[in-house]
Amino acid sequence: MTGTDPERPWRDRARRITALWPTMVMGAALWVLLWGDLSWANVLAGVALGALVALAFPLPPIGAAGTLRPGPLAHLVGRFVSDLVVASFQVAWTAVRPGPTPRGGLVPVPLRSTSDLFIATTAGLSSMVPGTVVVDLDRAGSTLRLHVLDLAGSGGPDGVRESVRALEERLLRAFATRADLVRLGLAEPAGGPAATPGKEGQP
Amino acid sequence: MSLVTDAAAAVCLLLGAFFSFSAGVGVVRFDNLFARVHVVAKPQVLGMLLLLTGVALRLQDRSSVTMLVLVAIFQLMTSPVAAHMVGSAGLRTGKVEPEFLEMDDGGR
């Protein structure tokens, strides 16, 4: 919207279309996967569809992740896969074993991060870790409300809070910028632990 | 080689079928909305992924496998959102028994 040039409207339009390139690349990749055949026709049709979807259904920007650290990312993905398997066995066993439905409850979990991207990703991932499903989300207070299937079996409300915050920490360590990590108390500042140690990290 | 992949495919298909079955059992047996949401969010997803893996191991042809990968990606992307939508709709329309809300002031 900024920098509109009335003399050259085509330049403005061209800039708006080039800003769509991530969606166009995604569209092309999806379309090629869908047809299972890498050809120019498929790539071009995918690019056109990606642009069309982005123009027809515009979404507010969610903000970009800072960086990508391969080691913590592998840790995050590995824990996610093992958590998904463990969670599925737990829930499957709870479903087929004899006896009544276990006592569940709602637990609010305050998160460290205030970025929409990290809150949304934490919410999505925590729907798949053992025993929890996100029911509600307070974006202003960055608080998730989780439902726990078996509250006693998950270590009570404190155990649930602990495990979701550990999940968020793994996510932040994989993607957040160093400045964010320092601000949230997850890393030492570059010049050593000089400035207000541990103040920001208090829950 | 083909014996190994066939055995792996069989294990994946059977486990996937077990998880999908248990998801169905859970939906019928559990007595409240949120417990049912749990079943839809987890064993169902893993069951689906295992079934897709089993099918991919059996078919082993590129265009079908890419299609199966797409199904898996969209399953992982949409299932938590679907679970969340059902749960929050239940909460907002008051379809939740009051005793499930009592833990709610744990964080206050």
Side-chain angles (χ1 to χ4, degrees):
Chain A
M1 297 301 113
T2 54
T4 310
D5 191 348
E7 302 265 306
R8 273 169 279 184
W10 57 268
R11 178 171 284 189
D12 199 40
R13 210 172 300 152
R15 196 182 302 142
R16 224 180 318 160
I17 287 178
T18 49
L20 296 176
W21 72 265
T23 326
M24 288 158 132
V25 171
M26 293 256 287
L30 273 182
W31 202 243
V32 168
L33 279 176
L34 204 53
W35 287 100
D37 175 27
L38 184 64
S39 71
W40 279 110
N42 278 345
V43 171
L44 290 179
V47 166
L49 274 174
L52 190 71
V53 168
L55 289 174
F57 307 102
L59 287 172
I62 195 169
T67 49
L68 201 160
R69 298 186 191 86
L73 179 65
H75 185 205
L76 174 74
V77 172
R79 268 301 289 266
F80 172 69
V81 171
S82 71
D83 277 352
L84 178 62
V85 174
V86 169
S88 299
F89 268 108
Q90 278 177 357
V91 179
W93 171 239
T94 312
V96 295
R97 76 168 179 213
T101 311
R103 256 192 77 75
L106 287 175
V107 178
V109 180
L111 297 178
R112 297 183 184 86
S113 172
T114 48
S115 136
D116 283 352
L117 180 65
F118 288 124
I119 295 175
T121 317
T122 309
L125 292 178
S126 61
S127 278
M128 295 185 167
V129 303
T132 53
V133 159
V134 177
V135 174
D136 206 357
L137 199 155
D138 174 14
R139 185 175 155 205
S142 52
T143 300
L144 299 178
R145 274 170 104 190
L146 300 171
H147 182 264
V148 187
L149 181 59
D150 184 356
L151 201 53
S154 308
D158 288 326
V160 173
R161 263 191 285 274
E162 195 78 15
S163 71
V164 173
R165 285 170 67 88
L167 168 78
E168 190 203 14
E169 186 180 329
R170 287 197 293 276
L171 180 71
L172 288 172
R173 284 194 192 285
F175 290 113
T177 58
R178 191 167 167 82
D180 276 349
L181 285 182
V182 171
R183 189 171 53 81
L184 299 168
L186 292 178
E188 308 271 295
T196 58
K199 269 258 169 72
E200 312 273 319
Q202 299 295 335
Chain B
M1 187 60 201
S2 89
L3 186 70
V4 175
T5 52
D6 274 3
V11 169
C12 285
L13 288 174
L14 285 172
L15 267 179
F18 164 72
F19 279 122
S20 304
F21 172 72
S22 74
V25 170
V27 168
V28 174
R29 279 198 59 211
F30 284 163
D31 61 0
N32 63 79
L33 177 81
F34 288 136
R36 293 192 172 111
V37 170
H38 279 276
V39 169
V40 174
K42 273 161 292 191
Q44 194 271 127
V45 172
L46 185 65
M48 178 93 174
L49 292 179
L50 284 169
L51 285 173
L52 293 174
T53 313
V55 171
L57 284 173
R58 277 295 285 157
L59 288 178
Q60 296 198 347
D61 99 74
R62 210 188 57 190
S63 70
S64 330
V65 171
T66 51
M67 186 74 85
L68 296 173
V69 169
L70 270 189
V71 175
I73 290 174
F74 279 111
Q75 182 76 25
L76 280 173
M77 276 168 60
T78 53
S79 154
V81 181
H84 165 71
M85 292 308 287
V86 173
S88 91
L91 196 66
R92 273 170 210 178
T93 52
K95 293 282 185 290
V96 183
E97 295 80 355
E99 71 253 37
F100 289 111
L101 298 169
E102 67 188 29
M103 296 312 302
D104 209 15
D105 37 28
R108 297 284 100 185

